[in-house]
Amino acid sequence: MEAVKTQDIGVNDLPWKIEYHAERCTMCGSCVAGCSFKAIKVEVQKQSLTVSEGSQPEPKHTHIARPIIKQVASLTDFCRGCGMCEKICPNNAIRPVRNADTRKTLLSKDNGPIKRGGRTNLNAQRTLDSIVVGRISQMTDPSLDAARHTFDIRAPFGRVLPAKDLPFEIKDGKLVQKTKTPPVDWIYPLIFSDMSIGALSTRAWEAVALAVGYLNEKCGLPVRMSSGEGGMPVKLLESDYLKYFIIQIASGHFGWNRIIKAMPHMVTDPAGILIKIGQGAKPGDGGLLPSAKVAEHVQAIRGVPKATLASPPNHQGLYSIEESVQKMHLSMNAAFGFRVPVGIKCAASATSVSVYNNLLRDPYKICGGFFIDGIQGGTGAANEVSLDHTGHPVVSKIRDCYLAAVKQGLQGQIPLYGGGGIGMTGNAAADAFKLMCLGANGVFVGKVLIQLLGCVGNEQGRCNSCNTGKCPMGICTQDPRLVKRLDIDKGAQKIVDYVLAFDSELKKLMAPIGNSSLPIGRSDALVSTDKAVADQLGIQYVC
């Protein structure tokens, strides 16, 4: 037998170790068949036993070969801690256990930077958690009845003109509109963030889309969903449900050939266009869809061969804010006859206020929304160093942009939407309420949706293997065997139930401060237990 080298990988070098109880195992094979990462295998173990079979003690030394489940010691086929083996084992004989002695991050860079999906593992501490609702109306201002009062929970998507800029005049004693006004839609302040067909499995994308349709048609909540980069199915583009979808165009322009060809056949306009400049989870890194997830239907929608699809880190030909306004916004507005709001999405950064100020001064008045994505946003695939070490928290940038608009008297003209870690603790309504009080018109969420579908990934390094195409829950994969694990109807129902709870919780937060409409800019309703946070955001410090 060859001697073990000190550089050889052992189980104790991996982030998760398999705890296996052979005495409980019936060797049904469920765990091995269910592990999409091939992190466990069946092996035969030689055991030496001393037995006595007679009526008198007659010890005999014998050897037997016993099949066991063994963990694979590999930096490619390693356990991600998803717990699928534990979930399907009928005898509780196996489970993953976090390994504090892991050396994987150090050892797994032989083939370049580590890639993974999920969210940042190093920036889990959130500003929002140190902020609470402190202005609770008692004797000074009457609070509202959250169960009986009528609340106006709608946010604008589109350029909102001030009264002095409205193109109206009195002619023959009648109010006449001289020119068209920018399109404005009043939507629910919770947008389902951009997750493309390709990043998600067909079933996962269908479940989210089904939830959007149900919330609009049956629940009366005008929730909107962004398509993500990569296009949409032609049948959906040519259906009446397109009105619930915000079509995204990113730097790769994937899928836009099909969108352009479908435009003459569209029976309704989309809910909007979103130009993605950057994403908070990987700013400056562009987009990435690994070849393992470029299935046949993805190839057809995007018009590409089976290969790793990388979007450039910026839109080619756009090297200034002014060019973006003139070229992208103008062309996208013109494409749909100036009937569709066009927004822009950027990663939160030190220059977010500069971008917002330029958009506010846009002479064409065609920017319909500014979407700011923070470092704690998720992604399907990125370099780990980008996920953990680049980006900017979203809270202060939302506040800075809002206050910059207030100083110019332009607040509310270009709606602000914030994202990146919204709902990370499970309660997106509280996060949304706090961001609105700081100046946002609404929020966009992505990771919380796939968690409702069954995703077990978290900020402590569990799973987060969206980039591998081996998602054990059938959410971020195109493998037909794995995709079948996802129940579309149950997933859609989970999302619908969550949004209905979100709506109820948002009212329960609006009622105590006496607001029957969204509390945009109501920073007086918030207090912070962190002095630095209170000073930075301009809210009251309490202890």
Side-chain angles (χ1 to χ4, degrees):
M1 180 177 172
E2 186 181 353
V4 175
K5 305 292 193 299
T6 58
Q7 291 87 359
D8 288 350
I9 301 299
V11 170
N12 207 43
D13 295 321
L14 303 177
W16 296 83
K17 295 172 72 173
I18 296 296
E19 184 181 283
Y20 173 65
H21 301 279
E23 68 279 6
R24 300 179 192 170
C25 182
T26 58
M27 296 304 295
C28 65
S30 298
C31 57
V32 177
C35 182
S36 59
F37 302 109
K38 295 181 171 57
I40 51 179
K41 61 182 179 180
V42 178
E43 274 201 357
V44 176
Q45 185 182 66
K46 180 182 177 182
Q47 288 187 332
S48 178
L49 297 176
T50 301
V51 297
S52 176
E53 297 177 350
S55 57
Q56 300 294 327
E58 297 177 2
K60 294 180 181 178
H61 195 64
T62 184
H63 296 278
I64 64 169
R66 172 182 288 181
I68 62 166
I69 305 298
K70 187 176 181 180
Q71 183 174 0
V72 175
S74 166
L75 290 176
T76 54
D77 301 324
F78 62 94
C79 176
R80 267 72 168 188
C82 69
M84 180 58 73
C85 56
E86 181 182 13
K87 183 177 289 188
I88 62 179
C89 178
N91 303 305
N92 295 323
I94 189 170
R95 72 186 184 103
V97 178
R98 194 183 297 275
N99 179 23
D101 299 321
T102 178
R103 299 197 304 146
K104 179 187 173 296
T105 301
L106 178 67
L107 300 175
S108 58
K109 298 187 180 182
D110 294 344
N111 298 313
I114 303 170
K115 290 184 173 62
R116 66 171 174 83
R119 286 198 287 220
T120 172
N121 287 345
L122 300 181
N123 299 282
Q125 185 176 1
R126 306 187 318 153
T127 305
L128 290 172
D129 295 333
S130 65
I131 301 173
V132 294
V133 181
R135 182 183 177 87
I136 304 173
S137 302
Q138 296 285 311
M139 299 299 291
T140 52
D141 309 296
S143 58
L144 305 175
D145 188 330
R148 296 177 178 84
H149 193 83
T150 300
F151 292 86
D152 179 18
I153 305 181
R154 297 292 183 269
F157 180 34
R159 183 63 181 254
V160 179
L161 295 180
K164 62 183 179 61
D165 291 339
L166 290 173
F168 292 110
E169 65 177 1
I170 302 296
K171 190 173 183 179
D172 298 332
K174 295 182 180 180
L175 190 65
V176 179
Q177 184 175 335
K178 295 186 294 183
T179 59
K180 288 185 177 180
T181 57
V184 180
D185 291 333
W186 290 87
I187 64 176
Y188 198 73
L190 179 71
I191 296 176
F192 291 176
S193 190
D194 27 301
M195 297 179 289
S196 68
I197 299 177
L200 298 187
S201 68
T202 50
R203 284 187 174 224
W205 210 87
E206 186 178 344
V208 178
L210 188 62
V212 170
Y214 189 90
L215 287 166
N216 278 272
E217 301 284 339
K218 300 294 184 180
C219 304
L221 298 180
V223 175
R224 298 294 179 260
M225 171 183 174
S226 178
S227 67
E229 183 178 24
M232 294 168 61
V234 173
K235 285 187 177 181
L236 183 54
L237 288 169
E238 296 178 1
S239 77
D240 191 50
Y241 292 99
L242 182 63
K243 61 189 176 185
Y244 305 138
F245 289 82
I246 300 171
I247 305 177
Q248 186 185 97
I249 178 169
S251 56
H253 295 75
F254 291 118
W256 270 82
N257 284 344
R258 280 202 167 197
I259 292 173
I260 291 170
K261 289 179 181 178
M263 284 174 66
H265 308 288
M266 291 179 179
V267 296
T268 184
D269 289 328
I273 305 295
L274 183 62
I275 303 168
K276 190 187 86 169
I277 303 295
Q279 180 181 338
K282 48 182 178 183
D285 217 12
L288 180 66
L289 184 66
S291 59
K293 298 170 75 172
V294 185
E296 290 185 6
H297 65 279
V298 178
Q299 296 172 40
I301 291 174
R302 297 194 176 197
V304 294
K306 187 174 181 62
T308 295
L309 306 177
S311 300
N314 63 343
H315 281 266
Q316 302 302 299
L318 303 179
Y319 300 105
S320 71
I321 304 168
E322 290 76 13
E323 280 186 313
S324 297
V325 169
Q326 292 174 358
K327 294 180 181 178
M328 296 294 292
H329 283 76
L330 193 57
S331 61
M332 286 295 102
N333 273 276
F336 289 92
F338 296 88
R339 301 184 305 270
V340 174
V342 177
I344 186 169
K345 179 180 179 181
C346 292
S349 71
T351 58
S352 294
V353 176
S354 300
V355 176
Y356 192 54
N357 280 335
N358 275 273
L359 294 173
L360 285 168
R361 289 192 285 269
D362 166 25
Y364 304 103
K365 291 184 170 51
I366 54 178
C367 180
F370 188 43
F371 292 65
I372 311 178
D373 196 10
I375 187 175
Q376 289 166 331
T379 184
N383 291 307
E384 195 169 72
V385 68
S386 301
L387 271 170
D388 289 345
H389 297 283
T390 61
H392 198 296
V394 70
V395 178
S396 61
K397 291 300 102 183
I398 285 287
R399 185 65 174 158
D400 289 348
C401 287
Y402 177 75
L403 292 179
V406 169
K407 287 180 181 178
Q408 303 170 69
L410 303 176
Q411 70 270 23
Q413 292 193 24
I414 296 181
L416 276 169
Y417 287 87
I422 306 299
M424 185 182 287
T425 59
N427 200 323
D431 294 346
F433 181 84
K434 294 171 187 177
L435 272 185
M436 290 176 194
C437 287
L438 294 171
N441 292 89
V443 297
F444 51 94
V445 298
K447 183 69 182 289
V448 68
L449 300 178
I450 65 172
Q451 287 176 320
L452 290 167
L453 293 177
C455 171
V456 296
N458 64 16
E459 290 68 53
Q460 286 73 47
R462 186 183 183 193
C463 198
N464 292 341
S465 301
C466 321
N467 62 305
T468 63
K470 299 177 181 178
C471 172
M473 306 303 168
I475 300 169
C476 295
T477 177
Q478 304 300 339
D479 185 334
R481 183 178 65 90
L482 298 175
V483 171
K484 288 180 181 178
R485 295 179 178 179
L486 182 63
D487 187 318
I488 296 174
D489 293 332
K490 190 172 182 178
Q493 186 63 54
K494 283 281 186 184
I495 293 174
V496 168
D497 290 342
Y498 187 86
V499 174
L500 294 177
F502 176 99
D503 186 64
S504 179
E505 289 175 341
L506 198 57
K507 293 173 183 177
K508 289 183 181 299
L509 290 169
M510 292 166 60
I513 68 168
N515 258 57
S516 58
S517 59
L518 295 179
I520 314 302
R522 282 289 310 272
S523 58
D524 63 311
L526 304 178
V527 298
S528 177
T529 55
D530 187 308
K531 184 68 164 62
V533 169
D535 292 343
Q536 177 67 27
L537 300 179
I539 60 179
Q540 186 180 356
Y541 167 63
V542 294
C543 61

